[in-house]
Amino acid sequence: MRKWLQDKEIRAIESLDPDVAHYFTRGCGDDLVATEAPEAWRARRWRPRVLRDVSRIDTGVRLWGDWRMPLGVAPTAFHRLLHDGGEVATATGAAAAGVPFVLSSRATRRIEDVAAAIGGPWWFQVYLMHERSVTKALVQRAERHGATALVLTGDTPYVGYRASATGPRPLPITDDDALINIAEHLALDAGADPWPLIDQDPALSLTDIDWLREISDLPILVKGVLHPADAVACVDHGADGIWVSNHGGRQFDRAIATADALPSIVDAVDDDIPVVVDGGVRDGLDALTALALGARMAFVGRPVLWGLRTAGAAGVQQVLEEFAADIRHWAGCAGAARTADLDRSYLV
Ligand SMILES: Cc1cc2nc3c(=O)[nH]c(=O)nc-3n(C[C@H](O)[C@H](O)[C@H](O)COP(=O)(O)O)c2cc1C
Ligand SMILES: O=C(O)C(=O)c1ccccc1
């Protein structure tokens, strides 16, 4: 089932400026982790069940929203580098497919416009910026416009080292796009550089979960967790969910694959704390493997970006529909009439 996606990826990459293609495709360092991620899901073997009436298959999941399948769209930055519609197009495709859309703090379309395009629940990804008042303003805008959860990204104290394709050239993104949600919250002199104020603050710590709790009533997931002790610490600090991720291999090039990290984190936290996961999920069976290992949902980053690049909102929806059909097919063949019932007994 992966060939259609690989073909789309190739078409998307071929149509892009090399630096832009590089930004979206690559991991960091020597790209070890980004390359390993899909293989780690595929390495798992199943014991499919038989004689279990799979004439009807329920793939629904409730998690700060009612979703059609246990798959969602991970937060990624700068969609207008891929398509004029930017995050509005991506969100429209995700909403049409009935899955959660997570809007990045580094979005290139206005929060209000994205929320209106979705017309239902969505989640907001939080980067803690040096200037906390900007983060606070974004969080409160997201909450006002229908976000139902916050995803605090913890794995990006410094942005991972990613050499560009053609040398040290900045991405061809304008400040109008990059600061579209941010500029109004900054009181800057003309010509002043905003980035020292709005880059991620490496002082980010557990107490920032408490801070988010003070400024917002929304549930908080912490994203980028790979160590079970961190999962426990986040929950002790009031996190409502854990998002196992290595940032698509973009942050720490010798990090554990998320497929390998997931079970120990599920085991470390109480059953009522939802754990979700991303990284290298490239077909329905990858997503179901994540569920069998204890995740409530799996998320995809790059696959939807190839859909966005090749056909805008319709392309995003089409990618997600392929995943939906694949999830349904493999759940049936695994003997799981309800994907929410998958557990480790299905795996070797
Ligand atoms: C181009 C790109 C930009 C990203 N931007 C963000 C971001 O703004 N915030 C964030 O929390 N994660 C970001 N991520 C990480 C994704 O949320 C996710 O963890 C990762 O892409 C999942 O792996 P996959 O692409 O293999 O599916 C980004 C990933 C990519 C590829
Ligand atoms: O590129 C990324 O992965 C990412 O998370 C990011 C970090 C800072 C600015 C824009 C995107």
Side-chain angles (χ1 to χ4, degrees):
M1 273 303 283
R2 291 167 183 251
K3 191 167 180 315
W4 67 270
L5 185 57
Q6 285 163 353
D7 290 346
K8 216 179 262 303
E9 174 172 353
I10 289 166
R11 271 200 291 135
I13 292 170
E14 281 175 354
S15 72
L16 287 167
D17 164 288
D19 283 331
V20 174
H22 194 274
Y23 171 72
F24 284 101
T25 51
R26 299 294 289 272
C28 64
D30 295 329
D31 270 346
L32 297 174
V33 167
T35 313
E36 285 167 3
E39 287 310 317
W41 297 114
R42 284 153 68 101
R44 296 285 174 158
R45 293 293 173 268
W46 286 66
R47 301 178 200 273
R49 306 296 304 270
V50 299
L51 308 183
R52 286 165 62 100
D53 185 359
V54 286
S55 56
R56 289 218 286 217
I57 294 168
D58 174 6
T59 63
V61 51
R62 171 171 292 182
L63 192 62
W64 303 305
D66 275 319
W67 315 110
R68 170 185 168 210
M69 61 172 153
L71 189 89
V73 177
T76 52
F78 302 153
H79 290 192
R80 269 173 71 86
L81 285 172
L82 298 174
H83 190 273
D84 246 10
E87 289 79 4
V88 168
T90 323
T92 300
V99 307
F101 176 74
V102 189
L103 182 68
S104 168
S105 275
R106 303 302 183 189
T108 51
R109 292 293 304 266
R110 285 184 60 79
I111 290 172
E112 291 72 12
D113 296 341
V114 172
I118 295 170
W122 56 282
W123 301 357
F124 183 66
Q125 180 261 331
V126 180
Y127 269 138
L128 197 87
M129 302 177 193
H130 283 272
E131 181 51 64
R132 304 285 152 116
S133 65
V134 176
T135 301
K136 180 177 175 184
L138 294 178
V139 163
Q140 294 184 335
R141 265 168 80 194
E143 185 165 4
R144 261 200 321 280
H145 290 281
T148 55
L150 299 175
V151 176
L152 174 65
T153 299
D155 63 7
T156 320
Y158 303 97
V159 176
Y161 173 66
R162 310 168 194 154
S164 79
T166 58
R169 281 207 294 136
L171 280 174
I173 187 156
T174 64
D175 270 2
D176 281 351
D177 280 342
L179 304 180
I180 192 165
N181 285 306
I182 293 174
E184 68 204 71
H185 305 298
L186 287 171
L188 279 183
D189 294 336
D193 179 4
W195 287 98
L197 295 174
I198 61 171
D199 263 338
Q200 289 89 322
D201 186 355
L204 175 70
S205 76
L206 287 168
T207 57
D208 291 301
I209 302 175
D210 305 322
W211 178 75
L212 270 184
R213 173 74 66 224
E214 279 166 30
I215 65 165
S216 166
D217 293 330
L218 295 179
I220 300 163
L221 292 97
V222 179
K223 176 170 181 276
V225 177
L226 294 171
H227 199 300
D230 284 343
V232 171
C234 289
V235 171
D236 286 347
H237 269 264
D240 302 282
I242 298 294
W243 186 316
V244 176
S245 174
N246 61 31
H247 212 108
R250 296 161 72 78
Q251 281 302 114
F252 193 94
D253 198 31
R254 303 206 184 166
I256 185 171
T258 52
D260 297 329
L262 176 60
S264 61
I265 290 172
V266 169
D267 290 344
V269 299
D270 287 346
D271 285 347
D272 57 339
I273 299 291
V275 177
V276 304
V277 66
D278 71 21
V281 172
R282 295 295 178 265
D283 66 22
L285 201 39
D286 295 342
L288 293 178
T289 302
L291 263 59
L293 290 172
R296 290 276 285 277
M297 298 190 84
F299 285 77
V300 287
R302 295 176 184 88
V304 295
L305 299 177
W306 311 143
L308 176 67
R309 174 64 185 174
T310 50
V316 169
Q317 185 182 355
Q318 190 203 344
V319 164
L320 293 168
E321 297 294 346
E322 294 272 6
F323 272 94
D326 209 36
I327 285 173
R328 183 169 289 281
H329 172 77
W330 289 113
C333 290
R338 275 168 40 94
T339 53
D341 291 341
L342 285 167
D343 61 25
R344 274 180 223 170
S345 70
Y346 282 82
L347 298 176
V348 175

PDB file of all heavy atoms in Angstrom, residues 307-334:
ATOM      1  N   GLY A 307       0.190  15.302   0.003  1.00  0.00           N
ATOM      2  CA  GLY A 307      -1.160  15.515  -0.525  1.00  0.00           C
ATOM      3  C   GLY A 307      -1.433  16.992  -0.737  1.00  0.00           C
ATOM      4  O   GLY A 307      -1.982  17.399  -1.767  1.00  0.00           O
ATOM      5  N   LEU A 308      -1.021  17.812   0.242  1.00  0.00           N
ATOM      6  CA  LEU A 308      -1.218  19.264   0.139  1.00  0.00           C
ATOM      7  C   LEU A 308      -0.497  19.814  -1.084  1.00  0.00           C
ATOM      8  O   LEU A 308      -1.052  20.604  -1.852  1.00  0.00           O
ATOM      9  CB  LEU A 308      -0.694  19.943   1.411  1.00  0.00           C
ATOM     10  CG  LEU A 308      -0.727  21.468   1.422  1.00  0.00           C
ATOM     11  CD1 LEU A 308      -2.155  21.986   1.426  1.00  0.00           C
ATOM     12  CD2 LEU A 308       0.040  22.025   2.633  1.00  0.00           C
ATOM     13  N   ARG A 309       0.735  19.390  -1.251  1.00  0.00           N
ATOM     14  CA  ARG A 309       1.527  19.921  -2.361  1.00  0.00           C
ATOM     15  C   ARG A 309       0.913  19.524  -3.713  1.00  0.00           C
ATOM     16  O   ARG A 309       0.847  20.325  -4.630  1.00  0.00           O
ATOM     17  CB  ARG A 309       2.967  19.390  -2.272  1.00  0.00           C
ATOM     18  CG  ARG A 309       3.832  19.762  -3.466  1.00  0.00           C
ATOM     19  CD  ARG A 309       4.013  21.264  -3.551  1.00  0.00           C
ATOM     20  NE  ARG A 309       4.738  21.665  -4.758  1.00  0.00           N
ATOM     21  CZ  ARG A 309       4.923  22.927  -5.124  1.00  0.00           C
ATOM     22  NH1 ARG A 309       4.438  23.907  -4.378  1.00  0.00           N
ATOM     23  NH2 ARG A 309       5.578  23.214  -6.213  1.00  0.00           N
ATOM     24  N   THR A 310       0.472  18.273  -3.815  1.00  0.00           N
ATOM     25  CA  THR A 310       0.050  17.790  -5.136  1.00  0.00           C
ATOM     26  C   THR A 310      -1.367  18.227  -5.483  1.00  0.00           C
ATOM     27  O   THR A 310      -1.670  18.419  -6.650  1.00  0.00           O
ATOM     28  CB  THR A 310       0.185  16.260  -5.251  1.00  0.00           C
ATOM     29  OG1 THR A 310      -0.444  15.663  -4.110  1.00  0.00           O
ATOM     30  CG2 THR A 310       1.635  15.834  -5.288  1.00  0.00           C
ATOM     31  N   ALA A 311      -2.254  18.410  -4.483  1.00  0.00           N
ATOM     32  CA  ALA A 311      -3.649  18.738  -4.835  1.00  0.00           C
ATOM     33  C   ALA A 311      -4.392  19.512  -3.752  1.00  0.00           C
ATOM     34  O   ALA A 311      -5.622  19.436  -3.686  1.00  0.00           O
ATOM     35  CB  ALA A 311      -4.409  17.472  -5.197  1.00  0.00           C
ATOM     36  N   GLY A 312      -3.690  20.277  -2.901  1.00  0.00           N
ATOM     37  CA  GLY A 312      -4.374  21.128  -1.933  1.00  0.00           C
ATOM     38  C   GLY A 312      -5.263  20.334  -0.983  1.00  0.00           C
ATOM     39  O   GLY A 312      -4.932  19.197  -0.597  1.00  0.00           O
ATOM     40  N   ALA A 313      -6.399  20.938  -0.608  1.00  0.00           N
ATOM     41  CA  ALA A 313      -7.295  20.296   0.364  1.00  0.00           C
ATOM     42  C   ALA A 313      -7.743  18.921  -0.124  1.00  0.00           C
ATOM     43  O   ALA A 313      -7.791  17.954   0.646  1.00  0.00           O
ATOM     44  CB  ALA A 313      -8.513  21.186   0.615  1.00  0.00           C
ATOM     45  N   ALA A 314      -8.060  18.815  -1.413  1.00  0.00           N
ATOM     46  CA  ALA A 314      -8.516  17.529  -1.958  1.00  0.00           C
ATOM     47  C   ALA A 314      -7.410  16.483  -1.852  1.00  0.00           C
ATOM     48  O   ALA A 314      -7.679  15.297  -1.590  1.00  0.00           O
ATOM     49  CB  ALA A 314      -8.954  17.696  -3.407  1.00  0.00           C
ATOM     50  N   GLY A 315      -6.177  16.922  -2.050  1.00  0.00           N
ATOM     51  CA  GLY A 315      -5.047  16.003  -1.945  1.00  0.00           C
ATOM     52  C   GLY A 315      -4.847  15.509  -0.522  1.00  0.00           C
ATOM     53  O   GLY A 315      -4.531  14.333  -0.292  1.00  0.00           O
ATOM     54  N   VAL A 316      -5.034  16.412   0.451  1.00  0.00           N
ATOM     55  CA  VAL A 316      -4.938  16.021   1.863  1.00  0.00           C
ATOM     56  C   VAL A 316      -6.033  15.013   2.190  1.00  0.00           C
ATOM     57  O   VAL A 316      -5.778  13.956   2.796  1.00  0.00           O
ATOM     58  CB  VAL A 316      -5.051  17.265   2.777  1.00  0.00           C
ATOM     59  CG1 VAL A 316      -5.217  16.862   4.227  1.00  0.00           C
ATOM     60  CG2 VAL A 316      -3.835  18.164   2.587  1.00  0.00           C
ATOM     61  N   GLN A 317      -7.246  15.326   1.752  1.00  0.00           N
ATOM     62  CA  GLN A 317      -8.348  14.406   2.033  1.00  0.00           C
ATOM     63  C   GLN A 317      -8.085  13.042   1.377  1.00  0.00           C
ATOM     64  O   GLN A 317      -8.301  11.995   1.990  1.00  0.00           O
ATOM     65  CB  GLN A 317      -9.680  14.973   1.534  1.00  0.00           C
ATOM     66  CG  GLN A 317     -10.840  14.071   1.926  1.00  0.00           C
ATOM     67  CD  GLN A 317     -12.194  14.542   1.413  1.00  0.00           C
ATOM     68  OE1 GLN A 317     -12.301  15.627   0.822  1.00  0.00           O
ATOM     69  NE2 GLN A 317     -13.209  13.732   1.636  1.00  0.00           N
ATOM     70  N   GLN A 318      -7.586  13.071   0.166  1.00  0.00           N
ATOM     71  CA  GLN A 318      -7.354  11.811  -0.549  1.00  0.00           C
ATOM     72  C   GLN A 318      -6.332  10.940   0.188  1.00  0.00           C
ATOM     73  O   GLN A 318      -6.526   9.725   0.331  1.00  0.00           O
ATOM     74  CB  GLN A 318      -6.873  12.125  -1.965  1.00  0.00           C
ATOM     75  CG  GLN A 318      -6.831  10.905  -2.857  1.00  0.00           C
ATOM     76  CD  GLN A 318      -5.858  11.100  -4.017  1.00  0.00           C
ATOM     77  OE1 GLN A 318      -5.436  12.216  -4.320  1.00  0.00           O
ATOM     78  NE2 GLN A 318      -5.506   9.999  -4.647  1.00  0.00           N
ATOM     79  N   VAL A 319      -5.257  11.545   0.668  1.00  0.00           N
ATOM     80  CA  VAL A 319      -4.261  10.779   1.429  1.00  0.00           C
ATOM     81  C   VAL A 319      -4.922  10.150   2.653  1.00  0.00           C
ATOM     82  O   VAL A 319      -4.735   8.964   2.953  1.00  0.00           O
ATOM     83  CB  VAL A 319      -3.082  11.690   1.849  1.00  0.00           C
ATOM     84  CG1 VAL A 319      -2.236  11.052   2.940  1.00  0.00           C
ATOM     85  CG2 VAL A 319      -2.228  12.043   0.635  1.00  0.00           C
ATOM     86  N   LEU A 320      -5.731  10.941   3.351  1.00  0.00           N
ATOM     87  CA  LEU A 320      -6.359  10.439   4.572  1.00  0.00           C
ATOM     88  C   LEU A 320      -7.396   9.365   4.252  1.00  0.00           C
ATOM     89  O   LEU A 320      -7.555   8.410   5.030  1.00  0.00           O
ATOM     90  CB  LEU A 320      -6.968  11.602   5.356  1.00  0.00           C
ATOM     91  CG  LEU A 320      -5.907  12.572   5.916  1.00  0.00           C
ATOM     92  CD1 LEU A 320      -6.564  13.854   6.425  1.00  0.00           C
ATOM     93  CD2 LEU A 320      -5.087  11.911   7.029  1.00  0.00           C
ATOM     94  N   GLU A 321      -8.088   9.491   3.118  1.00  0.00           N
ATOM     95  CA  GLU A 321      -9.046   8.445   2.720  1.00  0.00           C
ATOM     96  C   GLU A 321      -8.325   7.130   2.418  1.00  0.00           C
ATOM     97  O   GLU A 321      -8.839   6.045   2.720  1.00  0.00           O
ATOM     98  CB  GLU A 321      -9.873   8.878   1.499  1.00  0.00           C
ATOM     99  CG  GLU A 321     -10.772  10.090   1.707  1.00  0.00           C
ATOM    100  CD  GLU A 321     -11.921   9.879   2.696  1.00  0.00           C
ATOM    101  OE1 GLU A 321     -12.218   8.720   3.049  1.00  0.00           O
ATOM    102  OE2 GLU A 321     -12.501  10.895   3.130  1.00  0.00           O
ATOM    103  N   GLU A 322      -7.151   7.224   1.832  1.00  0.00           N
ATOM    104  CA  GLU A 322      -6.362   5.999   1.580  1.00  0.00           C
ATOM    105  C   GLU A 322      -6.015   5.326   2.913  1.00  0.00           C
ATOM    106  O   GLU A 322      -6.108   4.103   3.053  1.00  0.00           O
ATOM    107  CB  GLU A 322      -5.068   6.328   0.828  1.00  0.00           C
ATOM    108  CG  GLU A 322      -5.264   6.850  -0.574  1.00  0.00           C
ATOM    109  CD  GLU A 322      -5.339   5.737  -1.624  1.00  0.00           C
ATOM    110  OE1 GLU A 322      -5.353   4.549  -1.258  1.00  0.00           O
ATOM    111  OE2 GLU A 322      -5.407   6.090  -2.815  1.00  0.00           O
ATOM    112  N   PHE A 323      -5.616   6.143   3.878  1.00  0.00           N
ATOM    113  CA  PHE A 323      -5.315   5.583   5.209  1.00  0.00           C
ATOM    114  C   PHE A 323      -6.573   4.961   5.819  1.00  0.00           C
ATOM    115  O   PHE A 323      -6.517   3.893   6.430  1.00  0.00           O
ATOM    116  CB  PHE A 323      -4.758   6.667   6.140  1.00  0.00           C
ATOM    117  CG  PHE A 323      -3.268   6.838   6.063  1.00  0.00           C
ATOM    118  CD1 PHE A 323      -2.692   7.782   5.228  1.00  0.00           C
ATOM    119  CD2 PHE A 323      -2.414   6.066   6.844  1.00  0.00           C
ATOM    120  CE1 PHE A 323      -1.315   7.949   5.149  1.00  0.00           C
ATOM    121  CE2 PHE A 323      -1.039   6.222   6.789  1.00  0.00           C
ATOM    122  CZ  PHE A 323      -0.475   7.171   5.927  1.00  0.00           C
ATOM    123  N   ALA A 324      -7.709   5.640   5.663  1.00  0.00           N
ATOM    124  CA  ALA A 324      -8.959   5.131   6.258  1.00  0.00           C
ATOM    125  C   ALA A 324      -9.308   3.771   5.679  1.00  0.00           C
ATOM    126  O   ALA A 324      -9.655   2.824   6.419  1.00  0.00           O
ATOM    127  CB  ALA A 324     -10.094   6.132   6.015  1.00  0.00           C
ATOM    128  N   ALA A 325      -9.213   3.638   4.364  1.00  0.00           N
ATOM    129  CA  ALA A 325      -9.542   2.367   3.714  1.00  0.00           C
ATOM    130  C   ALA A 325      -8.565   1.285   4.164  1.00  0.00           C
ATOM    131  O   ALA A 325      -8.947   0.129   4.405  1.00  0.00           O
ATOM    132  CB  ALA A 325      -9.503   2.548   2.202  1.00  0.00           C
ATOM    133  N   ASP A 326      -7.308   1.670   4.279  1.00  0.00           N
ATOM    134  CA  ASP A 326      -6.274   0.709   4.665  1.00  0.00           C
ATOM    135  C   ASP A 326      -6.463   0.245   6.111  1.00  0.00           C
ATOM    136  O   ASP A 326      -6.331  -0.953   6.424  1.00  0.00           O
ATOM    137  CB  ASP A 326      -4.921   1.404   4.490  1.00  0.00           C
ATOM    138  CG  ASP A 326      -3.807   0.436   4.173  1.00  0.00           C
ATOM    139  OD1 ASP A 326      -4.065  -0.548   3.448  1.00  0.00           O
ATOM    140  OD2 ASP A 326      -2.682   0.667   4.649  1.00  0.00           O
ATOM    141  N   ILE A 327      -6.784   1.177   6.991  1.00  0.00           N
ATOM    142  CA  ILE A 327      -7.020   0.834   8.396  1.00  0.00           C
ATOM    143  C   ILE A 327      -8.181  -0.160   8.491  1.00  0.00           C
ATOM    144  O   ILE A 327      -8.119  -1.180   9.183  1.00  0.00           O
ATOM    145  CB  ILE A 327      -7.307   2.114   9.214  1.00  0.00           C
ATOM    146  CG1 ILE A 327      -6.002   2.884   9.431  1.00  0.00           C
ATOM    147  CG2 ILE A 327      -7.992   1.789  10.543  1.00  0.00           C
ATOM    148  CD1 ILE A 327      -6.166   4.253  10.079  1.00  0.00           C
ATOM    149  N   ARG A 328      -9.266   0.151   7.781  1.00  0.00           N
ATOM    150  CA  ARG A 328     -10.453  -0.698   7.797  1.00  0.00           C
ATOM    151  C   ARG A 328     -10.114  -2.109   7.272  1.00  0.00           C
ATOM    152  O   ARG A 328     -10.475  -3.122   7.877  1.00  0.00           O
ATOM    153  CB  ARG A 328     -11.513  -0.019   6.925  1.00  0.00           C
ATOM    154  CG  ARG A 328     -12.842  -0.660   6.830  1.00  0.00           C
ATOM    155  CD  ARG A 328     -13.809   0.304   6.144  1.00  0.00           C
ATOM    156  NE  ARG A 328     -14.129   1.431   7.011  1.00  0.00           N
ATOM    157  CZ  ARG A 328     -15.015   1.368   8.009  1.00  0.00           C
ATOM    158  NH1 ARG A 328     -15.688   0.254   8.237  1.00  0.00           N
ATOM    159  NH2 ARG A 328     -15.239   2.416   8.765  1.00  0.00           N
ATOM    160  N   HIS A 329      -9.403  -2.141   6.171  1.00  0.00           N
ATOM    161  CA  HIS A 329      -9.048  -3.421   5.558  1.00  0.00           C
ATOM    162  C   HIS A 329      -8.223  -4.289   6.517  1.00  0.00           C
ATOM    163  O   HIS A 329      -8.530  -5.457   6.763  1.00  0.00           O
ATOM    164  CB  HIS A 329      -8.272  -3.184   4.263  1.00  0.00           C
ATOM    165  CG  HIS A 329      -7.707  -4.437   3.678  1.00  0.00           C
ATOM    166  ND1 HIS A 329      -8.486  -5.344   2.990  1.00  0.00           N
ATOM    167  CD2 HIS A 329      -6.457  -4.968   3.714  1.00  0.00           C
ATOM    168  CE1 HIS A 329      -7.739  -6.362   2.622  1.00  0.00           C
ATOM    169  NE2 HIS A 329      -6.496  -6.160   3.047  1.00  0.00           N
ATOM    170  N   TRP A 330      -7.186  -3.708   7.072  1.00  0.00           N
ATOM    171  CA  TRP A 330      -6.283  -4.502   7.913  1.00  0.00           C
ATOM    172  C   TRP A 330      -6.917  -4.843   9.252  1.00  0.00           C
ATOM    173  O   TRP A 330      -6.618  -5.904   9.827  1.00  0.00           O
ATOM    174  CB  TRP A 330      -4.954  -3.779   8.108  1.00  0.00           C
ATOM    175  CG  TRP A 330      -4.126  -3.758   6.862  1.00  0.00           C
ATOM    176  CD1 TRP A 330      -3.809  -2.675   6.120  1.00  0.00           C
ATOM    177  CD2 TRP A 330      -3.520  -4.883   6.212  1.00  0.00           C
ATOM    178  NE1 TRP A 330      -3.051  -3.047   5.040  1.00  0.00           N
ATOM    179  CE2 TRP A 330      -2.851  -4.397   5.065  1.00  0.00           C
ATOM    180  CE3 TRP A 330      -3.478  -6.252   6.469  1.00  0.00           C
ATOM    181  CZ2 TRP A 330      -2.148  -5.222   4.188  1.00  0.00           C
ATOM    182  CZ3 TRP A 330      -2.775  -7.079   5.597  1.00  0.00           C
ATOM    183  CH2 TRP A 330      -2.124  -6.565   4.475  1.00  0.00           C
ATOM    184  N   ALA A 331      -7.778  -3.962   9.746  1.00  0.00           N
ATOM    185  CA  ALA A 331      -8.477  -4.303  10.992  1.00  0.00           C
ATOM    186  C   ALA A 331      -9.333  -5.549  10.755  1.00  0.00           C
ATOM    187  O   ALA A 331      -9.342  -6.486  11.576  1.00  0.00           O
ATOM    188  CB  ALA A 331      -9.347  -3.138  11.455  1.00  0.00           C
ATOM    189  N   GLY A 332     -10.029  -5.575   9.619  1.00  0.00           N
ATOM    190  CA  GLY A 332     -10.845  -6.745   9.288  1.00  0.00           C
ATOM    191  C   GLY A 332      -9.997  -7.993   9.170  1.00  0.00           C
ATOM    192  O   GLY A 332     -10.316  -9.046   9.748  1.00  0.00           O
ATOM    193  N   CYS A 333      -8.907  -7.891   8.457  1.00  0.00           N
ATOM    194  CA  CYS A 333      -8.054  -9.067   8.258  1.00  0.00           C
ATOM    195  C   CYS A 333      -7.351  -9.497   9.545  1.00  0.00           C
ATOM    196  O   CYS A 333      -6.932 -10.647   9.678  1.00  0.00           O
ATOM    197  CB  CYS A 333      -7.043  -8.806   7.156  1.00  0.00           C
ATOM    198  SG  CYS A 333      -7.816  -8.717   5.527  1.00  0.00           S
ATOM    199  N   ALA A 334      -7.213  -8.569  10.498  1.00  0.00           N
ATOM    200  CA  ALA A 334      -6.619  -8.924  11.793  1.00  0.00           C
ATOM    201  C   ALA A 334      -7.659  -9.525  12.741  1.00  0.00           C
ATOM    202  O   ALA A 334      -7.314 -10.017  13.820  1.00  0.00           O
ATOM    203  CB  ALA A 334      -5.995  -7.693  12.452  1.00  0.00           C
TER     204      ALA A 334
END
